[in-house]
Amino acid sequence: MNDTPLRIGGLELSSRLIVGTGKYATMAQADAAIRASGTRMVTVALRRVNLTDRSEGSLFDLLQRGGYHVLPNTAGCYTVDDAVRTAMLAREIGLGSLCKVEVIGDPKTLFPDPIGTLEASRVLVNEGFTVLPYCTDDPVLCQRLRDVGCAAVMPLAAPIGSGLGIRNPTNLRIIREQITEVPLIVDAGVGTASDAAVAMELGFDGVLMNTAIAGAADPIGMATAMRLGVEAGRLAFLSGRIPRRLYASASSPLDGLLA
Amino acid sequence: MALQITLNGEPRTFEAPLTVATLLVALDMTAERVAVERNRRIIRRAEHAATDVVDGDVIEVVHFVGGG
């Protein structure tokens, strides 16, 4: 496929799919699914080391073996301070200064707190992070996030883990029209490959997902489907779809019909 | 002499003297894979050996886990 790489901050990614590393049954399954997705960037979370049970497989080995760009999130943070503290600790581990900013506003929907998200993003940009905020699909908020220096803006398709697909394509279209300076990634809510394709057909630069792959009956199969969905949607976008029309337009010539 | 610290939210007892570096060794943790906070201040890896852990300290040791 003749396409430019996805550029985020100073990075160039050959894949437009970003995947999470959570919710897999085993580390081996995560490894295989992430490989099948073709991704070059994966999200991770930061948590306390479990002092009593050290049996968990090593995510660190998976990250290093795959050579992925690592995008630590601030999942579970409800305040700006917690998000900034989490990002700072994640950077200290030493796998780069990317940060997926998440400041959650409500535990049931996991919708982000837009005000906290903007403030945390501003602080972390000033601290030298490459900031990718997870945010609501509000065009004005997305512009503000761009304006404070985020390297990409990542509006949601639907609530995290819901698999509902793209709930508000018209807002996403507006956001795409208004924001051209930084990449736009659809983050969260994708359920299946066609959702990923639709996100790309809307002109988004990439898609970020976790549950849709990790929660599928066959995560490796779904990771492959998502890779193809993103590629298909991207190629369709670049190729310029036909306009929608209400009435038919014959595919076969009208001339030369039998009398 | 024993010293009491709060480690990842749990009370723990260690023998003094203790530094961040010797604490990680005692916990069988690889410094390159974790980040450490002492009393809400990040202790950079280069400072681990020179940073004493003293009675009453609140220590957090964090790492990457699977997440979205």
Side-chain angles (χ1 to χ4, degrees):
Chain A
M1 185 162 109
N2 194 10
D3 193 7
T4 53
L6 171 57
R7 294 191 175 85
I8 298 177
L11 302 175
E12 284 196 355
L13 307 174
S14 56
S15 166
R16 292 176 176 272
L17 177 56
I18 303 171
V19 302
T21 53
K23 293 185 174 177
Y24 285 99
T26 64
M27 206 56 77
Q29 186 191 56
D31 198 1
I34 292 165
R35 280 177 192 283
S37 78
T39 191
R40 298 313 305 147
M41 181 182 283
V42 300
T43 60
V44 298
L46 188 89
R47 291 293 180 269
R48 284 172 165 166
V49 174
N50 188 330
L51 298 174
T52 47
D53 178 11
R54 305 288 298 284
S55 64
E56 55 194 322
S58 177
L59 181 65
F60 202 89
D61 289 336
L62 181 160
L63 299 175
Q64 294 219 307
R65 264 201 315 276
Y68 306 110
H69 295 287
V70 177
L71 176 59
N73 67 31
T74 63
C77 292
Y78 281 77
T79 67
V80 173
D81 285 353
D82 282 349
V84 170
R85 180 187 184 197
T86 300
M88 296 284 199
L89 278 164
R91 182 164 66 177
E92 204 53 36
I93 293 178
L95 295 183
S97 55
L98 292 165
C99 180
K100 172 179 162 177
V101 169
E102 287 185 56
V103 180
I104 302 300
D106 170 55
K108 186 159 186 171
T109 60
L110 295 180
F111 281 141
D113 170 352
I115 299 158
T117 300
L118 182 61
E119 183 55 26
S121 297
R122 187 200 320 272
V123 170
L124 290 170
V125 166
N126 289 336
E127 291 285 348
F129 285 83
T130 300
V131 176
L132 292 76
Y134 155 70
C135 60
T136 39
D137 54 4
D138 179 310
V140 178
L141 173 65
C142 289
Q143 291 183 58
R144 294 284 168 83
L145 288 163
R146 171 202 61 195
D147 294 345
V148 300
C150 292
V153 180
M154 306 202 296
L156 53 77
I160 293 171
S162 69
L164 287 172
I166 292 162
R167 296 292 81 201
N168 198 343
T170 48
N171 265 34
L172 295 183
R173 282 178 57 194
I174 291 170
I175 293 165
R176 174 72 285 176
E177 279 194 22
Q178 295 185 338
I179 297 183
T180 53
E181 302 85 349
V182 296
L184 292 174
I185 314 284
V186 164
D187 176 11
V190 165
T192 188
S194 54
D195 298 334
V198 169
M200 299 307 294
E201 287 170 1
L202 289 169
F204 271 61
D205 298 288
V207 184
L208 194 165
M209 63 182 74
N210 186 350
T211 307
I213 295 173
D218 173 5
I220 297 159
M222 187 59 82
T224 308
M226 290 298 188
R227 174 172 62 78
L228 295 170
V230 167
E231 286 180 9
R234 175 66 179 173
L235 189 52
F237 170 72
L238 292 175
S239 302
R241 60 153 297 151
I242 60 165
R244 289 179 174 84
R245 50 203 298 169
L246 192 55
Y247 295 102
S249 165
S251 304
S252 306
L254 299 176
D255 292 341
L257 283 168
L258 294 173
Chain B
M1 196 186 76
L3 57 89
Q4 277 272 345
I5 64 171
T6 303
L7 177 63
N8 286 3
E10 297 174 14
R12 287 293 189 106
T13 306
F14 291 88
E15 281 301 310
L18 191 67
T19 66
V20 170
T22 56
L23 172 65
L24 292 181
V25 170
L27 295 170
D28 193 25
M29 288 178 193
T30 311
E32 286 69 32
R33 297 179 174 210
V34 300
V36 180
E37 242 186 27
R38 173 176 177 259
N39 302 330
R40 293 296 291 252
R41 193 175 81 80
I42 289 175
I43 307 299
R44 313 205 65 170
R45 224 163 262 149
E47 303 166 351
H48 282 187
T51 304
D52 289 326
V53 177
V54 302
D55 203 51
D57 273 359
V58 176
I59 305 286
E60 298 283 353
V61 184
V62 296
H63 66 163
F64 287 140
V65 300

